[in-house]
Amino acid sequence: MDMNSTTDVRQGSVAHLLEGLATRRIDVIDLTTKLSHATPTLELPEPFANLIDFSLEEVSAYNEPGPYWKHHNIHTGEHIGTHLDAPVHWITGRGGKDVAQIEPGRLTGSALVLDVSEEAAANPDFLLDLHHIRQWEATFGPIPQGSWLLIRTGWEARAHDRQRFLNNDEKGPHSPGLTVECAQWIAEESPLSGIGVETVGIDAGAAAGQEPPFPAHHFLLANDKYGITSLQNLSKLPPIGAAIIVAPLPIVGGTGSPARVLAFVDT
């Protein structure tokens, strides 16, 4: 590398990012729900099988099995807490990518926040429709290629109360989601890499009754688009201008993975 190219690197975009982080001009916001045995998880009705909740199994703790260290075995399902859905998770994406095959570039991008928390507070079965996205675009401009649409519903306030978070009654679960038209547009026409939600899954609680059932899963995962769930702190992000990093475990054959999701925001 010659001197000119070295100077270019030092003055490049990465250098500006590192300087911004070091000087706190760029803040890092954790969008991840903490993972423990108490983290609310999806509850499917019979006869469907459910994943296990997250737990730790002690192997040693500075004792005879390991005098200088402490470590655990992890017991968990793939789709627990803040997690990413890979295409192979759904029948429509069964020939698609597993978690380990998703390109790193698809797991980063612009973070676009669409706030419908007032609508969801008034109606827990609220469905985001395409006209909501068009209204957002009219205010903030076109959706950038490879970006992530993060849907703020205020559901994060329920995350530490399993009953309120899942919001089940005799008719089933009630939580916000997408209309069929919106899910299909995101999957087939939008430049998005994926969506992020504050709820337990990327579909509405009552999505089994939509046609097709669970349209976000049905359309997004069939079209190599991704979903992340159980997000926190979306209120700390601007509608545009933030960047997101989604970091799932690269599980070979994995249909999903718990993920750490971080956002970079100008202070």
Side-chain angles (χ1 to χ4, degrees):
M1 180 180 292
D2 61 31
M3 182 60 68
N4 288 335
S5 61
T6 302
T7 302
D8 289 343
V9 169
R10 289 175 179 172
Q11 296 177 350
S13 299
V14 173
H16 288 302
L17 171 62
L18 294 174
E19 181 184 9
L21 291 169
T23 58
R24 302 295 190 267
R25 292 203 305 270
I26 296 175
D27 198 7
V28 181
I29 307 296
D30 196 344
L31 307 183
T32 315
T33 297
K34 289 184 172 61
L35 191 56
S36 75
H37 70 280
T39 303
T41 56
L42 183 67
E43 294 178 357
L44 297 172
E46 294 183 352
F48 304 113
N50 282 291
L51 298 172
I52 61 171
D53 287 340
F54 180 90
S55 64
L56 293 176
E57 175 195 9
E58 183 180 296
V59 176
S60 68
Y62 328 116
N63 52 14
E64 186 175 354
Y68 301 112
W69 54 85
K70 181 177 184 178
H71 58 189
H72 302 94
N73 289 320
I74 296 173
H75 298 265
T76 187
E78 298 168 312
H79 300 264
I80 299 294
T82 302
H83 68 271
L84 177 128
D85 290 345
V88 73
H89 171 48
W90 210 250
I91 190 169
T92 54
R94 65 191 305 170
K97 297 169 186 168
D98 65 26
V99 183
Q101 293 171 323
I102 297 174
E103 301 91 339
R106 297 291 306 281
L107 298 173
T108 63
S110 298
L112 316 177
V113 180
L114 199 164
D115 187 349
V116 288
S117 54
E118 290 187 8
E119 292 88 340
N123 176 16
D125 292 311
F126 168 79
L127 298 178
L128 183 81
D129 204 356
L130 184 53
H131 76 268
H132 296 105
I133 297 179
R134 296 303 191 200
Q135 290 171 355
W136 187 97
E137 287 185 300
T139 302
F140 300 107
I143 294 173
Q145 184 68 40
S147 55
W148 286 77
L149 180 65
L150 309 182
I151 304 165
R152 185 186 173 215
T153 57
W155 215 254
E156 67 164 342
R158 301 168 176 250
H160 302 295
D161 184 327
R162 188 183 190 96
Q163 184 175 357
R164 291 187 66 238
F165 188 70
L166 300 180
N167 205 31
N168 283 311
D169 62 17
E170 66 278 359
K171 295 182 180 180
H174 302 273
S175 58
L178 306 179
T179 66
V180 172
E181 180 189 20
C182 187
Q184 188 168 10
W185 180 85
I186 289 171
E188 297 179 357
E189 298 185 46
S190 84
L192 294 164
S193 275
I195 65 169
V197 299
E198 297 171 326
T199 49
V200 74
I202 60 173
D203 270 297
Q210 293 179 278
E211 185 55 46
F214 308 102
H217 286 84
H218 179 96
F219 288 113
L220 268 69
L221 301 185
N223 287 275
D224 196 34
K225 301 290 179 75
Y226 317 124
I228 45 178
T229 71
S230 298
L231 294 176
Q232 295 274 310
N233 295 321
L234 295 187
S235 62
K236 297 181 179 180
L237 305 187
I240 57 173
I244 191 172
I245 296 176
V246 184
L249 299 172
I251 303 169
V252 175
T255 70
S257 168
R260 192 77 179 259
V261 182
L262 303 175
F264 291 160
V265 183
D266 288 320
T267 58

